[in-house]
mmCIF file of all heavy atoms in Angstrom:
data_model
loop_
_atom_site.group_PDB
_atom_site.id
_atom_site.type_symbol
_atom_site.label_atom_id
_atom_site.label_comp_id
_atom_site.label_asym_id
_atom_site.label_seq_id
_atom_site.Cartn_x
_atom_site.Cartn_y
_atom_site.Cartn_z
ATOM 1 N N GLY A 72 70.474 118.531 96.109
ATOM 2 C CA GLY A 72 69.095 118.526 95.643
ATOM 3 C C GLY A 72 68.999 118.321 94.152
ATOM 4 O O GLY A 72 69.999 118.348 93.432
ATOM 5 N N PRO A 73 67.773 118.117 93.647
ATOM 6 C CA PRO A 73 67.580 117.837 92.211
ATOM 7 C C PRO A 73 67.750 119.056 91.325
ATOM 8 O O PRO A 73 68.224 118.954 90.200
ATOM 9 C CB PRO A 73 66.147 117.306 92.161
ATOM 10 C CG PRO A 73 65.472 117.916 93.353
ATOM 11 C CD PRO A 73 66.522 117.999 94.417
ATOM 12 N N LYS A 74 67.352 120.223 91.783
ATOM 13 C CA LYS A 74 67.461 121.438 90.978
ATOM 14 C C LYS A 74 68.025 122.541 91.855
ATOM 15 O O LYS A 74 67.365 123.028 92.775
ATOM 16 C CB LYS A 74 66.095 121.842 90.426
ATOM 17 C CG LYS A 74 65.523 120.847 89.412
ATOM 18 C CD LYS A 74 64.190 121.339 88.867
ATOM 19 C CE LYS A 74 63.622 120.360 87.850
ATOM 20 N NZ LYS A 74 62.324 120.820 87.308
ATOM 21 N N ILE A 75 69.245 122.926 91.558
ATOM 22 C CA ILE A 75 69.926 123.921 92.378
ATOM 23 C C ILE A 75 70.451 125.026 91.469
ATOM 24 O O ILE A 75 71.064 124.762 90.429
ATOM 25 C CB ILE A 75 71.100 123.297 93.161
ATOM 26 C CG1 ILE A 75 70.575 122.227 94.137
ATOM 27 C CG2 ILE A 75 71.874 124.364 93.916
ATOM 28 C CD1 ILE A 75 71.660 121.509 94.896
ATOM 29 N N SER A 76 70.232 126.245 91.882
ATOM 30 C CA SER A 76 70.714 127.390 91.119
ATOM 31 C C SER A 76 71.434 128.344 92.067
ATOM 32 O O SER A 76 70.842 128.807 93.050
ATOM 33 C CB SER A 76 69.554 128.112 90.429
ATOM 34 O OG SER A 76 70.020 129.249 89.726
ATOM 35 N N VAL A 77 72.685 128.617 91.800
ATOM 36 C CA VAL A 77 73.441 129.586 92.587
ATOM 37 C C VAL A 77 74.240 130.465 91.630
ATOM 38 O O VAL A 77 74.537 130.082 90.501
ATOM 39 C CB VAL A 77 74.407 128.896 93.576
ATOM 40 C CG1 VAL A 77 73.661 128.084 94.602
ATOM 41 C CG2 VAL A 77 75.415 128.021 92.836
ATOM 42 N N LYS A 78 74.584 131.648 92.088
ATOM 43 C CA LYS A 78 75.385 132.561 91.281
ATOM 44 C C LYS A 78 76.873 132.285 91.525
ATOM 45 O O LYS A 78 77.262 131.648 92.496
ATOM 46 C CB LYS A 78 75.051 134.010 91.656
ATOM 47 C CG LYS A 78 73.612 134.414 91.360
ATOM 48 C CD LYS A 78 73.364 135.862 91.764
ATOM 49 C CE LYS A 78 71.922 136.272 91.454
ATOM 50 N NZ LYS A 78 71.655 137.665 91.858
ATOM 51 N N ASN A 79 77.702 132.805 90.619
ATOM 52 C CA ASN A 79 79.151 132.713 90.754
ATOM 53 C C ASN A 79 79.574 131.267 90.986
ATOM 54 O O ASN A 79 80.125 130.920 92.025
ATOM 55 C CB ASN A 79 79.630 133.597 91.920
ATOM 56 C CG ASN A 79 81.139 133.752 91.926
ATOM 57 O OD1 ASN A 79 81.771 133.684 90.882
ATOM 58 N ND2 ASN A 79 81.718 133.927 93.103
ATOM 59 N N LYS A 80 79.311 130.424 90.011
ATOM 60 C CA LYS A 80 79.510 128.992 90.195
ATOM 61 C C LYS A 80 80.356 128.385 89.083
ATOM 62 O O LYS A 80 80.490 128.931 87.987
ATOM 63 C CB LYS A 80 78.160 128.277 90.223
ATOM 64 C CG LYS A 80 77.385 128.359 88.913
ATOM 65 C CD LYS A 80 76.044 127.668 89.015
ATOM 66 C CE LYS A 80 75.283 127.706 87.696
ATOM 67 N NZ LYS A 80 74.926 129.065 87.305
ATOM 68 N N ARG A 81 80.950 127.261 89.402
ATOM 69 C CA ARG A 81 81.558 126.370 88.422
ATOM 70 C C ARG A 81 80.747 125.085 88.440
ATOM 71 O O ARG A 81 80.270 124.685 89.488
ATOM 72 C CB ARG A 81 83.004 126.053 88.791
ATOM 73 C CG ARG A 81 83.951 127.244 88.700
ATOM 74 C CD ARG A 81 85.299 126.900 89.302
ATOM 75 N NE ARG A 81 85.170 126.680 90.734
ATOM 76 C CZ ARG A 81 85.761 125.687 91.393
ATOM 77 N NH1 ARG A 81 86.475 124.797 90.748
ATOM 78 N NH2 ARG A 81 85.624 125.581 92.691
ATOM 79 N N VAL A 82 80.618 124.445 87.293
ATOM 80 C CA VAL A 82 79.808 123.236 87.201
ATOM 81 C C VAL A 82 80.670 122.083 86.701
ATOM 82 O O VAL A 82 81.378 122.202 85.698
ATOM 83 C CB VAL A 82 78.597 123.423 86.265
ATOM 84 C CG1 VAL A 82 77.802 122.122 86.182
ATOM 85 C CG2 VAL A 82 77.707 124.566 86.767
ATOM 86 N N LEU A 83 80.611 120.982 87.423
ATOM 87 C CA LEU A 83 81.286 119.749 87.031
ATOM 88 C C LEU A 83 80.218 118.693 86.813
ATOM 89 O O LEU A 83 79.446 118.385 87.720
ATOM 90 C CB LEU A 83 82.254 119.295 88.141
ATOM 91 C CG LEU A 83 82.923 117.936 87.947
ATOM 92 C CD1 LEU A 83 83.888 117.981 86.771
ATOM 93 C CD2 LEU A 83 83.669 117.520 89.213
ATOM 94 N N ASP A 84 80.157 118.156 85.603
ATOM 95 C CA ASP A 84 79.173 117.125 85.278
ATOM 96 C C ASP A 84 79.655 115.788 85.814
ATOM 97 O O ASP A 84 80.692 115.270 85.397
ATOM 98 C CB ASP A 84 78.975 117.057 83.769
ATOM 99 C CG ASP A 84 77.830 116.119 83.378
ATOM 100 O OD1 ASP A 84 77.283 115.426 84.261
ATOM 101 O OD2 ASP A 84 77.494 116.095 82.181
ATOM 102 N N GLY A 85 78.887 115.208 86.740
ATOM 103 C CA GLY A 85 79.257 113.934 87.325
ATOM 104 C C GLY A 85 78.989 112.734 86.452
ATOM 105 O O GLY A 85 79.434 111.621 86.764
ATOM 106 N N ASN A 86 78.262 112.938 85.356
ATOM 107 C CA ASN A 86 77.996 111.863 84.393
ATOM 108 C C ASN A 86 77.442 110.597 85.051
ATOM 109 O O ASN A 86 77.796 109.484 84.678
ATOM 110 C CB ASN A 86 79.269 111.521 83.621
ATOM 111 C CG ASN A 86 79.685 112.631 82.671
ATOM 112 O OD1 ASN A 86 78.859 113.185 81.953
ATOM 113 N ND2 ASN A 86 80.968 112.972 82.694
ATOM 114 N N GLY A 87 76.570 110.763 86.029
ATOM 115 C CA GLY A 87 75.916 109.612 86.646
ATOM 116 C C GLY A 87 76.751 108.857 87.651
ATOM 117 O O GLY A 87 76.328 107.797 88.135
ATOM 118 N N ARG A 88 77.922 109.362 87.989
ATOM 119 C CA ARG A 88 78.776 108.668 88.947
ATOM 120 C C ARG A 88 78.140 108.640 90.333
ATOM 121 O O ARG A 88 77.296 109.459 90.674
ATOM 122 C CB ARG A 88 80.152 109.321 89.018
ATOM 123 C CG ARG A 88 81.045 109.020 87.829
ATOM 124 C CD ARG A 88 82.365 109.760 87.957
ATOM 125 N NE ARG A 88 83.343 109.326 86.974
ATOM 126 C CZ ARG A 88 83.404 109.765 85.735
ATOM 127 N NH1 ARG A 88 82.513 110.653 85.310
ATOM 128 N NH2 ARG A 88 84.328 109.329 84.909
ATOM 129 N N ALA A 89 78.592 107.674 91.120
ATOM 130 C CA ALA A 89 78.124 107.570 92.500
ATOM 131 C C ALA A 89 78.997 108.429 93.403
ATOM 132 O O ALA A 89 80.212 108.514 93.211
ATOM 133 C CB ALA A 89 78.171 106.115 92.971
ATOM 134 N N VAL A 90 78.395 109.067 94.368
ATOM 135 C CA VAL A 90 79.110 109.892 95.340
ATOM 136 C C VAL A 90 78.915 109.303 96.727
ATOM 137 O O VAL A 90 77.784 109.018 97.136
ATOM 138 C CB VAL A 90 78.605 111.354 95.320
ATOM 139 C CG1 VAL A 90 79.325 112.178 96.379
ATOM 140 C CG2 VAL A 90 78.804 111.969 93.948
ATOM 141 N N THR A 91 80.002 109.123 97.416
ATOM 142 C CA THR A 91 79.945 108.616 98.781
ATOM 143 C C THR A 91 80.918 109.403 99.635
ATOM 144 O O THR A 91 81.763 110.143 99.119
ATOM 145 C CB THR A 91 80.312 107.114 98.818
ATOM 146 O OG1 THR A 91 80.239 106.647 100.178
ATOM 147 C CG2 THR A 91 81.718 106.877 98.304
ATOM 148 N N ALA A 92 80.800 109.274 100.926
ATOM 149 C CA ALA A 92 81.775 109.910 101.812
ATOM 150 C C ALA A 92 83.164 109.375 101.495
ATOM 151 O O ALA A 92 83.325 108.236 101.043
ATOM 152 C CB ALA A 92 81.416 109.625 103.269
ATOM 153 N N GLY A 93 84.186 110.191 101.699
ATOM 154 C CA GLY A 93 85.552 109.765 101.442
ATOM 155 C C GLY A 93 85.889 108.498 102.206
ATOM 156 O O GLY A 93 85.490 108.325 103.359
ATOM 157 N N LEU A 94 86.627 107.610 101.568
ATOM 158 C CA LEU A 94 86.973 106.330 102.162
ATOM 159 C C LEU A 94 88.270 106.427 102.964
ATOM 160 O O LEU A 94 89.141 107.232 102.661
ATOM 161 C CB LEU A 94 87.126 105.271 101.065
ATOM 162 C CG LEU A 94 85.938 105.127 100.100
ATOM 163 C CD1 LEU A 94 86.246 104.079 99.041
ATOM 164 C CD2 LEU A 94 84.674 104.765 100.864
ATOM 165 N N TRP A 95 88.381 105.582 103.986
ATOM 166 C CA TRP A 95 89.581 105.489 104.817
ATOM 167 C C TRP A 95 90.333 104.210 104.486
ATOM 168 O O TRP A 95 89.721 103.165 104.251
ATOM 169 C CB TRP A 95 89.222 105.455 106.300
ATOM 170 C CG TRP A 95 88.820 106.757 106.898
ATOM 171 C CD1 TRP A 95 87.850 107.616 106.462
ATOM 172 C CD2 TRP A 95 89.371 107.356 108.076
ATOM 173 N NE1 TRP A 95 87.758 108.700 107.290
ATOM 174 C CE2 TRP A 95 88.687 108.570 108.291
ATOM 175 C CE3 TRP A 95 90.374 106.982 108.962
ATOM 176 C CZ2 TRP A 95 88.972 109.411 109.361
ATOM 177 C CZ3 TRP A 95 90.658 107.811 110.034
ATOM 178 C CH2 TRP A 95 89.971 109.016 110.232
ATOM 179 N N ASN A 96 91.654 104.281 104.496
ATOM 180 C CA ASN A 96 92.501 103.096 104.448
ATOM 181 C C ASN A 96 93.355 103.117 105.706
ATOM 182 O O ASN A 96 94.177 104.023 105.894
ATOM 183 C CB ASN A 96 93.383 103.101 103.191
ATOM 184 C CG ASN A 96 94.152 101.801 103.016
ATOM 185 O OD1 ASN A 96 94.468 101.111 103.972
ATOM 186 N ND2 ASN A 96 94.462 101.469 101.775
ATOM 187 N N SER A 97 93.173 102.136 106.574
ATOM 188 C CA SER A 97 93.821 102.161 107.887
ATOM 189 C C SER A 97 95.151 101.432 107.918
ATOM 190 O O SER A 97 95.705 101.211 109.003
ATOM 191 C CB SER A 97 92.886 101.553 108.941
ATOM 192 O OG SER A 97 92.581 100.208 108.618
ATOM 193 N N HIS A 98 95.698 101.065 106.749
ATOM 194 C CA HIS A 98 96.996 100.384 106.747
ATOM 195 C C HIS A 98 97.693 100.611 105.414
ATOM 196 O O HIS A 98 97.494 99.880 104.454
ATOM 197 C CB HIS A 98 96.816 98.884 106.998
ATOM 198 C CG HIS A 98 98.103 98.173 107.318
ATOM 199 N ND1 HIS A 98 98.202 97.227 108.302
ATOM 200 C CD2 HIS A 98 99.344 98.268 106.787
ATOM 201 C CE1 HIS A 98 99.438 96.765 108.369
ATOM 202 N NE2 HIS A 98 100.151 97.383 107.445
#
Side-chain angles (χ1 to χ4, degrees):
K74 294 182 180 180
I75 297 177
S76 178
V77 296
K78 296 180 179 179
N79 191 28
K80 64 182 182 295
R81 293 171 294 137
V82 179
L83 173 67
D84 187 353
N86 291 315
R88 285 177 170 83
V90 178
T91 180
L94 307 178
W95 284 53
N96 187 332
S97 60
H98 193 138

